[in-house]
Amino acid sequence: SINIGKQEAAVAAEVLKALGHPLRLQILFVLTAGKMHVGGIAEQLEVGQAIASQQLRILRSAGLVAAETEDGRAYYRIVEPQLFQMLNCVQNCVSKRVERGE
C-alpha cells in the first residue's frame, strides 16, 4: 500500500489545488513545449496578460513553475519534471471521457 505523511499530504493538496483550475492547467500544458513569457502565454490562450500573470503567480507559489528574466522579460518554465508525466496522464484520462461525451 502507498503511505503518505501529514506534511506530504498537505504539500500534495496545495499542488493539487493549484492544478484545480482550468486556466492554470492550460498554462501548464502550454509550458510543456518550453519556456515562454507571460505575453506569449496570454496570447496563445486568448486571455489578458493580467489574468495570465495572476494564474502564473499561483503556479509559482505552489512550486510548479519558475521565472527567469531574459532581455527584461520574465520567462516561465515548469520546475518539476514529473509534472510532465502527470499532465500526460490527465490528458489521456480526460480525452477518453470527452470522446465518450461525458
Side-chain angles (χ1 to χ4, degrees):
S1 78
I2 299 171
N3 193 8
I4 188 168
K6 284 184 183 181
Q7 187 175 0
E8 289 171 311
V11 172
E14 182 184 337
V15 168
L16 292 171
K17 185 177 175 184
L19 293 172
H21 187 280
L23 184 54
R24 290 194 290 268
L25 278 173
Q26 286 183 291
I27 288 170
L28 289 171
F29 277 105
V30 165
L31 291 176
T32 61
K35 65 182 176 180
M36 187 177 288
H37 61 88
V38 67
I41 294 168
E43 186 178 316
Q44 192 163 337
L45 297 177
E46 299 177 348
V47 297
Q49 254 186 273
I51 292 170
S53 290
Q54 179 185 30
Q55 300 306 323
L56 282 161
R57 272 194 301 277
I58 293 167
L59 291 169
R60 195 173 174 182
S61 69
L64 299 174
V65 301
E68 300 165 353
T69 305
E70 285 181 24
D71 303 324
R73 282 183 154 168
Y75 282 81
Y76 288 86
R77 65 177 175 79
I78 291 175
V79 175
E80 177 54 62
Q82 296 295 322
L83 193 54
F84 289 99
Q85 290 177 312
M86 189 167 130
L87 291 170
N88 188 43
C89 179
V90 167
Q91 188 174 31
N92 288 336
C93 292
V94 171
S95 63
K96 290 175 183 165
R97 287 185 63 183
V98 171
E99 285 172 15
R100 291 192 302 258
E102 293 179 11

Coordinates of all heavy atoms in Angstrom, one line a residue:
S1 N 0.8 -1.2 0.0 CA 0.0 0.0 0.0 C 0.9 1.2 0.0 O 2.0 1.2 0.4 CB -0.9 0.0 1.2 OG -0.2 0.4 2.4
I2 N 0.3 2.3 -0.5 CA 1.0 3.6 -0.5 C 0.7 4.4 0.7 O -0.5 4.5 1.1 CB 0.6 4.4 -1.8 CG1 1.0 3.6 -3.0 CG2 1.3 5.8 -1.8 CD1 0.5 4.2 -4.3
N3 N 1.7 4.9 1.4 CA 1.5 5.7 2.6 C 2.1 7.1 2.4 O 3.1 7.3 1.8 CB 2.3 5.0 3.7 CG 1.8 5.6 5.1 OD1 0.9 6.4 5.2 ND2 2.5 5.1 6.1
I4 N 1.4 8.1 2.9 CA 1.8 9.5 2.8 C 1.6 10.1 4.2 O 0.6 10.0 4.8 CB 1.0 10.2 1.7 CG1 1.6 11.6 1.5 CG2 -0.5 10.3 2.0 CD1 1.0 12.3 0.2
G5 N 2.7 10.9 4.6 CA 2.6 11.5 5.9 C 1.8 12.8 5.8 O 1.4 13.3 4.8
K6 N 1.5 13.4 7.0 CA 0.7 14.6 7.1 C 1.3 15.7 6.3 O 0.6 16.5 5.6 CB 0.5 15.0 8.6 CG -0.5 14.2 9.3 CD -0.7 14.7 10.7 CE -1.6 13.8 11.5 NZ -1.8 14.3 12.9
Q7 N 2.6 15.9 6.5 CA 3.3 17.1 5.8 C 3.2 16.9 4.3 O 2.9 17.8 3.5 CB 4.7 17.2 6.3 CG 5.4 18.5 5.7 CD 6.8 18.7 6.3 OE1 7.2 17.9 7.1 NE2 7.4 19.8 5.9
E8 N 3.5 15.6 3.8 CA 3.5 15.3 2.4 C 2.1 15.5 1.8 O 1.9 16.0 0.7 CB 4.0 13.9 2.1 CG 5.5 13.7 2.3 CD 5.8 12.3 2.2 OE1 5.2 11.5 2.9 OE2 6.8 11.9 1.5
A9 N 1.1 15.1 2.6 CA -0.3 15.2 2.2 C -0.7 16.7 2.0 O -1.4 17.1 1.1 CB -1.2 14.5 3.1
A10 N -0.2 17.5 3.0 CA -0.5 19.0 2.9 C 0.1 19.6 1.7 O -0.6 20.4 1.0 CB 0.0 19.6 4.2
V11 N 1.3 19.2 1.4 CA 2.0 19.8 0.2 C 1.3 19.3 -1.1 O 1.1 20.0 -2.0 CB 3.5 19.4 0.2 CG1 4.2 19.8 -1.1 CG2 4.2 20.1 1.3
A12 N 1.0 18.0 -1.1 CA 0.3 17.4 -2.2 C -1.1 18.1 -2.5 O -1.4 18.4 -3.6 CB 0.1 15.9 -2.1
A13 N -1.8 18.4 -1.4 CA -3.1 19.1 -1.5 C -2.9 20.5 -2.1 O -3.7 21.0 -2.9 CB -3.8 19.2 -0.1
E14 N -1.8 21.2 -1.7 CA -1.5 22.5 -2.2 C -1.2 22.5 -3.7 O -1.7 23.3 -4.5 CB -0.3 23.1 -1.5 CG 0.0 24.5 -1.9 CD 1.3 25.1 -1.3 OE1 1.7 24.6 -0.2 OE2 1.9 26.0 -1.8
V15 N -0.5 21.5 -4.1 CA -0.2 21.3 -5.5 C -1.4 21.0 -6.3 O -1.7 21.6 -7.4 CB 0.9 20.2 -5.7 CG1 1.0 19.8 -7.2 CG2 2.2 20.6 -5.2
L16 N -2.2 20.1 -5.8 CA -3.5 19.7 -6.5 C -4.5 20.8 -6.6 O -5.2 21.0 -7.5 CB -4.1 18.5 -5.8 CG -3.3 17.2 -6.0 CD1 -3.9 16.1 -5.2 CD2 -3.3 16.8 -7.5
K17 N -4.5 21.7 -5.5 CA -5.3 22.9 -5.5 C -4.9 23.8 -6.6 O -5.7 24.4 -7.3 CB -5.3 23.5 -4.1 CG -6.2 24.7 -4.0 CD -6.1 25.3 -2.6 CE -7.0 26.5 -2.5 NZ -6.8 27.2 -1.1
A18 N -3.6 24.0 -6.8 CA -3.1 24.8 -7.8 C -3.4 24.3 -9.2 O -3.7 25.0 -10.2 CB -1.6 25.0 -7.7
L19 N -3.5 23.0 -9.3 CA -3.8 22.3 -10.6 C -5.3 22.4 -10.9 O -5.7 22.1 -12.0 CB -3.3 20.9 -10.6 CG -1.8 20.7 -10.6 CD1 -1.5 19.2 -10.4 CD2 -1.2 21.2 -11.9
G20 N -6.1 22.6 -9.8 CA -7.6 22.5 -9.9 C -8.2 23.7 -10.5 O -9.3 24.1 -10.1
H21 N -7.7 24.3 -11.6 CA -8.2 25.5 -12.2 C -8.0 25.3 -13.7 O -6.8 25.1 -14.1 CB -7.6 26.8 -11.7 CG -8.3 28.0 -12.2 ND1 -8.0 28.5 -13.5 CD2 -9.2 28.8 -11.6 CE1 -8.7 29.6 -13.6 NE2 -9.4 29.8 -12.5
P22 N -9.0 25.4 -14.6 CA -8.8 25.2 -16.0 C -7.7 26.0 -16.7 O -6.9 25.5 -17.4 CB -10.2 25.5 -16.6 CG -11.2 25.3 -15.5 CD -10.4 25.7 -14.2
L23 N -7.7 27.3 -16.3 CA -6.7 28.2 -17.0 C -5.3 27.8 -16.5 O -4.3 27.8 -17.3 CB -7.0 29.6 -16.7 CG -6.0 30.6 -17.4 CD1 -6.0 30.4 -18.9 CD2 -6.5 32.0 -17.1
R24 N -5.1 27.5 -15.2 CA -3.8 27.1 -14.8 C -3.3 25.8 -15.4 O -2.2 25.6 -15.8 CB -3.8 27.0 -13.2 CG -3.9 28.3 -12.6 CD -3.5 28.3 -11.1 NE -4.5 27.6 -10.3 CZ -5.5 28.2 -9.6 NH1 -5.7 29.5 -9.8 NH2 -6.3 27.5 -8.9
L25 N -4.3 24.8 -15.6 CA -3.9 23.6 -16.4 C -3.5 23.9 -17.8 O -2.5 23.4 -18.3 CB -5.1 22.6 -16.4 CG -5.2 21.8 -15.1 CD1 -6.5 21.0 -15.2 CD2 -4.0 20.8 -14.9
Q26 N -4.3 24.8 -18.5 CA -3.9 25.2 -19.8 C -2.5 25.9 -19.9 O -1.8 25.6 -20.8 CB -5.0 26.2 -20.4 CG -6.3 25.5 -20.7 CD -7.2 26.5 -21.4 OE1 -7.7 27.4 -20.7 NE2 -7.5 26.4 -22.6
I27 N -2.2 26.7 -18.9 CA -0.9 27.3 -18.9 C 0.2 26.3 -18.8 O 1.2 26.3 -19.5 CB -0.8 28.3 -17.7 CG1 -1.7 29.6 -18.0 CG2 0.6 28.7 -17.4 CD1 -1.9 30.5 -16.8
L28 N 0.0 25.3 -17.9 CA 1.0 24.2 -17.8 C 1.1 23.4 -19.0 O 2.3 23.1 -19.4 CB 0.6 23.3 -16.6 CG 0.8 24.0 -15.2 CD1 0.2 23.1 -14.1 CD2 2.3 24.3 -14.9
F29 N 0.0 23.1 -19.7 CA 0.1 22.4 -21.0 C 0.9 23.2 -22.0 O 1.7 22.7 -22.8 CB -1.3 22.0 -21.5 CG -1.8 20.7 -20.9 CD1 -2.8 20.8 -19.9 CD2 -1.3 19.5 -21.2 CE1 -3.2 19.6 -19.3 CE2 -1.7 18.3 -20.7 CZ -2.7 18.4 -19.7
V30 N 0.7 24.6 -22.0 CA 1.4 25.4 -22.9 C 2.9 25.4 -22.6 O 3.8 25.3 -23.5 CB 0.9 26.9 -22.8 CG1 1.9 27.9 -23.5 CG2 -0.5 27.0 -23.5
L31 N 3.2 25.4 -21.3 CA 4.6 25.4 -20.9 C 5.3 24.0 -21.1 O 6.6 23.9 -21.0 CB 4.8 25.8 -19.4 CG 4.4 27.3 -19.2 CD1 4.5 27.6 -17.7 CD2 5.4 28.2 -20.0
T32 N 4.6 23.0 -21.4 CA 5.2 21.7 -21.7 C 6.1 21.8 -23.0 O 7.0 21.0 -23.2 CB 4.2 20.5 -21.8 OG1 3.3 20.8 -22.9 CG2 3.5 20.3 -20.5
A33 N 5.8 22.8 -23.8 CA 6.5 23.0 -25.1 C 7.8 23.7 -24.8 O 8.7 23.8 -25.7 CB 5.7 23.7 -26.1
G34 N 8.0 24.3 -23.6 CA 9.2 25.0 -23.3 C 8.9 26.4 -22.7 O 7.7 26.7 -22.5
K35 N 9.9 27.1 -22.3 CA 9.7 28.3 -21.5 C 9.0 29.4 -22.4 O 9.2 29.4 -23.7 CB 11.0 28.8 -20.9 CG 12.0 29.2 -21.9 CD 13.3 29.7 -21.2 CE 14.4 30.0 -22.3 NZ 15.6 30.4 -21.6
M36 N 8.3 30.2 -21.8 CA 7.5 31.3 -22.5 C 7.3 32.5 -21.6 O 7.1 32.3 -20.4 CB 6.2 30.7 -23.0 CG 5.4 31.6 -24.0 SD 3.9 30.8 -24.6 CE 4.6 29.6 -25.7
H37 N 7.2 33.6 -22.2 CA 6.9 34.8 -21.4 C 5.4 35.0 -21.3 O 4.6 34.4 -22.1 CB 7.6 36.1 -22.0 CG 7.1 36.4 -23.4 ND1 6.0 37.2 -23.7 CD2 7.6 36.1 -24.6 CE1 5.9 37.3 -25.0 NE2 6.8 36.7 -25.6
V38 N 5.0 35.8 -20.3 CA 3.6 35.9 -20.0 C 2.7 36.4 -21.2 O 1.6 35.9 -21.4 CB 3.3 36.8 -18.7 CG1 3.7 38.2 -19.0 CG2 1.9 36.7 -18.2
G39 N 3.3 37.3 -22.0 CA 2.6 37.8 -23.1 C 2.3 36.7 -24.1 O 1.2 36.6 -24.7
G40 N 3.2 35.8 -24.3 CA 3.0 34.7 -25.3 C 2.0 33.7 -24.8 O 1.2 33.2 -25.5
I41 N 2.0 33.5 -23.5 CA 1.1 32.6 -22.8 C -0.3 33.1 -23.0 O -1.3 32.4 -23.4 CB 1.4 32.3 -21.3 CG1 2.8 31.5 -21.2 CG2 0.3 31.5 -20.6 CD1 3.3 31.5 -19.8
A42 N -0.5 34.4 -22.6 CA -1.8 35.1 -22.7 C -2.3 35.1 -24.1 O -3.5 34.8 -24.3 CB -1.6 36.5 -22.2
E43 N -1.4 35.3 -25.1 CA -1.9 35.4 -26.5 C -2.3 34.0 -26.9 O -3.4 33.8 -27.6 CB -0.7 35.8 -27.3 CG -1.1 36.0 -28.8 CD 0.1 36.6 -29.6 OE1 0.8 37.5 -29.1 OE2 0.3 36.1 -30.7
Q44 N -1.5 33.0 -26.6 CA -1.9 31.6 -27.0 C -3.2 31.1 -26.4 O -4.0 30.4 -27.1 CB -0.7 30.6 -26.6 CG -0.9 29.3 -27.3 CD 0.4 28.5 -27.2 OE1 1.5 29.0 -27.1 NE2 0.3 27.2 -27.3
L45 N -3.5 31.5 -25.2 CA -4.7 31.1 -24.5 C -5.8 32.1 -24.6 O -6.9 31.9 -24.1 CB -4.4 30.8 -23.0 CG -3.4 29.7 -22.8 CD1 -3.1 29.6 -21.3 CD2 -3.9 28.4 -23.4
E46 N -5.6 33.2 -25.4 CA -6.6 34.2 -25.6 C -7.2 34.8 -24.3 O -8.4 34.8 -24.2 CB -7.7 33.7 -26.6 CG -7.1 33.3 -27.9 CD -8.2 32.7 -28.8 OE1 -9.3 32.3 -28.4 OE2 -7.8 32.5 -30.0
V47 N -6.3 35.1 -23.4 CA -6.7 35.8 -22.2 C -5.9 37.0 -22.0 O -4.8 37.2 -22.6 CB -6.6 34.9 -20.9 CG1 -7.5 33.7 -21.0 CG2 -5.1 34.5 -20.7
G48 N -6.3 37.9 -21.1 CA -5.5 39.1 -20.8 C -4.2 38.8 -20.1 O -4.2 37.8 -19.4
Q49 N -3.2 39.6 -20.3 CA -1.9 39.4 -19.6 C -2.1 39.4 -18.1 O -1.4 38.7 -17.4 CB -0.9 40.5 -20.0 CG 0.1 39.9 -21.0 CD 1.2 40.9 -21.3 OE1 1.1 41.6 -22.2 NE2 2.3 40.8 -20.6
A50 N -2.9 40.3 -17.5 CA -3.1 40.4 -16.1 C -3.7 39.1 -15.5 O -3.2 38.6 -14.5 CB -4.0 41.5 -15.7
I51 N -4.6 38.5 -16.3 CA -5.2 37.2 -15.8 C -4.1 36.1 -15.9 O -4.0 35.3 -14.9 CB -6.4 36.8 -16.7 CG1 -7.5 37.8 -16.5 CG2 -6.9 35.4 -16.5 CD1 -8.7 37.7 -17.4
A52 N -3.4 36.0 -17.0 CA -2.3 35.0 -17.1 C -1.3 35.2 -16.0 O -0.8 34.2 -15.3 CB -1.6 35.1 -18.4
S53 N -0.9 36.5 -15.7 CA 0.1 36.8 -14.6 C -0.4 36.3 -13.2 O 0.3 35.7 -12.5 CB 0.4 38.2 -14.5 OG 1.1 38.6 -15.7
Q54 N -1.7 36.6 -13.0 CA -2.3 36.2 -11.7 C -2.2 34.6 -11.5 O -1.9 34.1 -10.5 CB -3.8 36.6 -11.7 CG -4.5 36.2 -10.4 CD -6.0 36.6 -10.5 OE1 -6.6 36.7 -11.6 NE2 -6.6 36.9 -9.3
Q55 N -2.6 33.9 -12.6 CA -2.6 32.4 -12.5 C -1.1 31.9 -12.4 O -0.9 30.9 -11.7 CB -3.3 31.8 -13.7 CG -4.7 32.2 -13.8 CD -5.5 32.0 -12.6 OE1 -5.4 31.0 -11.9 NE2 -6.5 32.9 -12.2
L56 N -0.2 32.6 -13.1 CA 1.2 32.2 -13.0 C 1.8 32.4 -11.6 O 2.6 31.6 -11.1 CB 2.1 32.9 -14.0 CG 1.9 32.4 -15.5 CD1 2.4 33.5 -16.5 CD2 2.7 31.1 -15.6
R57 N 1.3 33.4 -10.9 CA 1.8 33.7 -9.5 C 1.3 32.5 -8.6 O 2.1 32.1 -7.8 CB 1.2 35.0 -9.0 CG 2.0 36.2 -9.3 CD 1.6 37.4 -8.5 NE 0.2 37.8 -8.7 CZ -0.1 38.6 -9.8 NH1 0.7 39.0 -10.6 NH2 -1.4 38.9 -9.9
I58 N 0.1 32.0 -8.9 CA -0.4 30.9 -8.1 C 0.4 29.6 -8.4 O 0.8 28.9 -7.4 CB -1.9 30.7 -8.3 CG1 -2.7 31.9 -7.8 CG2 -2.4 29.3 -7.7 CD1 -4.1 31.9 -8.3
L59 N 0.7 29.4 -9.6 CA 1.5 28.2 -10.0 C 2.9 28.3 -9.5 O 3.5 27.3 -9.0 CB 1.5 28.1 -11.5 CG 0.2 27.7 -12.2 CD1 0.3 27.8 -13.7 CD2 -0.2 26.2 -11.8
R60 N 3.4 29.6 -9.4 CA 4.8 29.8 -8.9 C 4.8 29.6 -7.4 O 5.7 28.9 -6.9 CB 5.2 31.2 -9.3 CG 6.7 31.5 -9.1 CD 7.0 32.8 -9.7 NE 8.4 33.2 -9.4 CZ 8.9 34.3 -9.7 NH1 8.2 35.3 -10.3 NH2 10.2 34.5 -9.4
S61 N 3.8 30.1 -6.7 CA 3.8 29.9 -5.2 C 3.6 28.4 -4.8 O 4.0 28.0 -3.8 CB 2.7 30.8 -4.6 OG 1.4 30.3 -4.9
A62 N 3.0 27.6 -5.7 CA 2.9 26.2 -5.5 C 4.1 25.4 -5.9 O 4.2 24.2 -5.7 CB 1.7 25.6 -6.2
G63 N 5.1 26.1 -6.4 CA 6.4 25.5 -6.8 C 6.3 24.7 -8.1 O 7.2 23.9 -8.3
L64 N 5.3 25.0 -8.9 CA 5.2 24.3 -10.2 C 5.9 24.9 -11.3 O 6.3 24.3 -12.3 CB 3.7 24.1 -10.5 CG 2.9 23.3 -9.5 CD1 1.5 23.3 -9.8 CD2 3.5 21.9 -9.3
V65 N 6.0 26.3 -11.3 CA 6.7 27.0 -12.3 C 7.7 27.9 -11.7 O 7.6 28.3 -10.5 CB 5.8 27.8 -13.3 CG1 4.8 26.8 -14.0 CG2 5.1 28.9 -12.6
A66 N 8.7 28.3 -12.5 CA 9.7 29.3 -12.1 C 9.8 30.3 -13.2 O 9.5 30.0 -14.3 CB 11.0 28.7 -11.8
A67 N 10.3 31.5 -12.8 CA 10.5 32.6 -13.8 C 12.0 32.9 -13.9 O 12.7 33.0 -12.8 CB 9.7 33.8 -13.4
E68 N 12.5 33.1 -15.1 CA 13.8 33.6 -15.3 C 13.7 34.8 -16.2 O 13.0 34.8 -17.2 CB 14.6 32.5 -16.0 CG 14.7 31.2 -15.2 CD 15.2 30.1 -16.1 OE1 15.3 30.2 -17.3 OE2 15.5 29.0 -15.5
T69 N 14.5 35.9 -15.9 CA 14.4 37.1 -16.7 C 15.5 37.0 -17.8 O 16.7 36.7 -17.6 CB 14.7 38.3 -15.8 OG1 13.7 38.3 -14.7 CG2 14.5 39.6 -16.6
E70 N 15.0 37.3 -19.0 CA 15.9 37.4 -20.2 C 15.4 38.6 -21.0 O 14.2 38.7 -21.3 CB 15.7 36.1 -21.1 CG 16.4 34.9 -20.5 CD 16.2 33.7 -21.5 OE1 16.0 33.9 -22.7 OE2 16.3 32.6 -21.0
D71 N 16.4 39.5 -21.3 CA 16.1 40.7 -22.1 C 14.9 41.5 -21.5 O 14.0 42.0 -22.2 CB 15.7 40.3 -23.6 CG 16.8 39.5 -24.2 OD1 18.0 39.8 -23.9 OD2 16.5 38.6 -25.0
G72 N 14.9 41.6 -20.2 CA 13.9 42.3 -19.5 C 12.5 41.7 -19.4 O 11.6 42.3 -18.9
R73 N 12.4 40.5 -19.8 CA 11.1 39.8 -19.8 C 11.2 38.5 -18.9 O 12.3 37.9 -18.9 CB 10.7 39.2 -21.2 CG 10.1 40.2 -22.1 CD 9.7 39.5 -23.4 NE 8.6 40.2 -24.0 CZ 8.2 40.0 -25.2 NH1 8.8 39.0 -25.9 NH2 7.3 40.6 -25.8
A74 N 10.1 38.2 -18.2 CA 10.1 37.0 -17.3 C 9.6 35.9 -18.2 O 8.6 35.9 -18.8 CB 9.2 37.2 -16.1
Y75 N 10.5 34.9 -18.3 CA 10.1 33.6 -19.0 C 9.8 32.6 -18.0 O 10.6 32.3 -17.1 CB 11.2 33.2 -19.9 CG 11.3 34.0 -21.2 CD1 12.0 35.2 -21.2 CD2 10.8 33.5 -22.4 CE1 12.0 36.0 -22.4 CE2 10.8 34.2 -23.5 CZ 11.5 35.5 -23.5 OH 11.5 36.2 -24.7
Y76 N 8.6 31.9 -18.1 CA 8.2 30.9 -17.2 C 8.5 29.5 -17.7 O 8.4 29.3 -18.9 CB 6.7 31.0 -16.9 CG 6.4 32.2 -16.1 CD1 6.2 33.5 -16.6 CD2 6.3 32.1 -14.7 CE1 6.0 34.6 -15.9 CE2 6.1 33.3 -13.9 CZ 5.9 34.5 -14.5 OH 5.6 35.6 -13.7
R77 N 8.8 28.6 -16.8 CA 9.1 27.2 -17.2 C 8.6 26.3 -16.1 O 8.4 26.7 -14.9 CB 10.6 27.0 -17.4 CG 11.4 27.2 -16.2 CD 12.9 26.9 -16.4 NE 13.6 27.2 -15.2 CZ 13.7 26.4 -14.1 NH1 13.1 25.2 -14.1 NH2 14.4 26.7 -13.1
I78 N 8.3 25.1 -16.5 CA 7.9 24.1 -15.5 C 9.1 23.6 -14.7 O 10.2 23.4 -15.3 CB 7.2 22.9 -16.2 CG1 5.9 23.3 -16.8 CG2 7.1 21.7 -15.2 CD1 5.2 22.2 -17.6
V79 N 9.0 23.6 -13.4 CA 10.1 23.3 -12.5 C 10.3 21.8 -12.3 O 11.4 21.2 -12.4 CB 9.9 23.9 -11.1 CG1 11.0 23.5 -10.1 CG2 9.9 25.4 -11.2
E80 N 9.2 21.1 -12.0 CA 9.2 19.7 -11.7 C 9.0 18.8 -12.9 O 7.9 18.7 -13.5 CB 8.1 19.4 -10.6 CG 8.0 17.9 -10.2 CD 9.3 17.4 -9.7 OE1 9.8 17.9 -8.7 OE2 9.8 16.4 -10.3
P81 N 10.1 18.0 -13.3 CA 9.9 17.2 -14.5 C 8.8 16.1 -14.4 O 8.2 15.8 -15.4 CB 11.3 16.5 -14.6 CG 12.2 17.3 -13.8 CD 11.4 18.0 -12.7
Q82 N 8.5 15.7 -13.2 CA 7.4 14.7 -13.0 C 6.1 15.3 -13.4 O 5.1 14.5 -13.7 CB 7.4 14.2 -11.5 CG 8.6 13.5 -11.1 CD 8.8 12.2 -11.8 OE1 7.9 11.5 -12.1 NE2 10.1 11.9 -12.1
L83 N 6.0 16.6 -13.4 CA 4.7 17.2 -13.8 C 4.3 16.9 -15.2 O 3.2 16.8 -15.6 CB 4.8 18.7 -13.6 CG 3.5 19.6 -13.7 CD1 2.5 19.0 -12.7 CD2 3.9 21.0 -13.4
F84 N 5.3 16.7 -16.1 CA 5.0 16.3 -17.5 C 4.3 15.0 -17.6 O 3.3 14.9 -18.3 CB 6.3 16.2 -18.3 CG 7.0 17.6 -18.6 CD1 8.0 18.0 -17.8 CD2 6.6 18.4 -19.6 CE1 8.6 19.2 -18.0 CE2 7.2 19.6 -19.8 CZ 8.2 20.0 -19.0
Q85 N 4.7 14.0 -16.8 CA 4.0 12.7 -16.7 C 2.6 12.9 -16.2 O 1.7 12.3 -16.7 CB 4.8 11.7 -15.9 CG 6.1 11.3 -16.5 CD 6.9 10.4 -15.5 OE1 7.1 10.7 -14.4 NE2 7.3 9.3 -16.1
M86 N 2.5 13.7 -15.2 CA 1.1 13.9 -14.6 C 0.2 14.5 -15.6 O -1.0 14.1 -15.7 CB 1.3 14.7 -13.3 CG 0.0 14.8 -12.5 SD 0.4 15.4 -10.9 CE -0.9 16.7 -10.8
L87 N 0.7 15.6 -16.3 CA -0.2 16.2 -17.3 C -0.5 15.3 -18.4 O -1.7 15.3 -18.9 CB 0.6 17.5 -17.8 CG 0.7 18.6 -16.8 CD1 1.7 19.7 -17.4 CD2 -0.6 19.2 -16.4
N88 N 0.4 14.5 -18.8 CA 0.1 13.5 -19.8 C -1.0 12.5 -19.4 O -1.9 12.2 -20.1 CB 1.4 12.7 -20.2 CG 1.2 11.8 -21.4 OD1 0.6 12.2 -22.4 ND2 1.8 10.6 -21.3
C89 N -0.9 12.1 -18.2 CA -1.9 11.1 -17.6 C -3.2 11.8 -17.5 O -4.3 11.2 -17.9 CB -1.4 10.7 -16.2 SG -2.6 9.6 -15.4
V90 N -3.3 13.1 -17.1 CA -4.5 13.8 -17.0 C -5.2 13.9 -18.4 O -6.3 13.7 -18.6 CB -4.3 15.2 -16.4 CG1 -5.5 16.1 -16.6 CG2 -4.0 15.1 -14.9
Q91 N -4.3 14.3 -19.4 CA -4.8 14.5 -20.7 C -5.4 13.2 -21.3 O -6.4 13.1 -21.9 CB -3.7 15.0 -21.6 CG -4.3 15.4 -23.0 CD -3.2 16.1 -23.9 OE1 -2.0 15.8 -23.7 NE2 -3.6 17.0 -24.7
N92 N -4.7 12.1 -21.1 CA -5.1 10.8 -21.6 C -6.5 10.4 -20.9 O -7.4 9.9 -21.6 CB -4.1 9.7 -21.3 CG -2.9 9.8 -22.2 OD1 -3.0 10.4 -23.3 ND2 -1.8 9.3 -21.8
C93 N -6.6 10.6 -19.6 CA -7.8 10.2 -18.9 C -9.0 11.0 -19.4 O -10.1 10.5 -19.6 CB -7.7 10.4 -17.4 SG -6.5 9.2 -16.7
V94 N -8.8 12.3 -19.5 CA -9.8 13.3 -19.9 C -10.2 13.1 -21.3 O -11.4 13.2 -21.7 CB -9.4 14.7 -19.6 CG1 -10.4 15.7 -20.2 CG2 -9.2 14.9 -18.1
S95 N -9.3 12.9 -22.2 CA -9.6 12.8 -23.7 C -10.5 11.7 -23.9 O -11.5 11.8 -24.8 CB -8.4 12.8 -24.5 OG -7.6 11.6 -24.3
K96 N -10.4 10.6 -23.2 CA -11.3 9.4 -23.4 C -12.7 9.8 -22.9 O -13.7 9.4 -23.5 CB -10.7 8.2 -22.6 CG -9.5 7.7 -23.3 CD -8.8 6.5 -22.5 CE -7.5 6.1 -23.1 NZ -6.7 5.3 -22.3
R97 N -12.8 10.5 -21.8 CA -14.1 10.9 -21.3 C -14.8 11.9 -22.3 O -16.0 11.8 -22.6 CB -14.0 11.6 -20.0 CG -13.7 10.6 -18.9 CD -13.7 11.2 -17.5 NE -15.0 11.7 -17.2 CZ -15.3 12.4 -16.1 NH1 -14.4 12.7 -15.2 NH2 -16.5 12.9 -15.9
V98 N -14.0 12.8 -22.8 CA -14.6 13.8 -23.8 C -15.0 13.0 -25.1 O -16.1 13.3 -25.6 CB -13.5 14.9 -24.1 CG1 -14.0 15.7 -25.3 CG2 -13.2 15.7 -22.9
E99 N -14.2 12.1 -25.5 CA -14.6 11.3 -26.7 C -15.9 10.6 -26.5 O -16.7 10.4 -27.4 CB -13.5 10.3 -27.1 CG -12.3 10.9 -27.7 CD -11.2 9.9 -27.9 OE1 -11.4 8.6 -27.7 OE2 -10.0 10.3 -28.1
R100 N -16.1 10.1 -25.3 CA -17.4 9.3 -25.0 C -18.6 10.3 -24.7 O -19.7 9.9 -24.5 CB -17.2 8.4 -23.7 CG -16.2 7.3 -24.0 CD -16.3 6.3 -22.9 NE -15.9 6.8 -21.6 CZ -14.8 6.7 -20.9 NH1 -13.8 6.0 -21.5 NH2 -14.6 7.3 -19.8
G101 N -18.3 11.6 -24.7 CA -19.3 12.6 -24.4 C -19.7 12.7 -23.0 O -20.8 13.2 -22.7
E102 N -18.8 12.4 -22.1 CA -19.1 12.5 -20.6 C -18.9 13.9 -20.1 O -18.0 14.6 -20.6 CB -18.2 11.5 -19.8 CG -18.6 10.1 -20.1 CD -17.7 9.1 -19.3 OE1 -17.0 9.5 -18.4 OE2 -17.8 7.9 -19.7

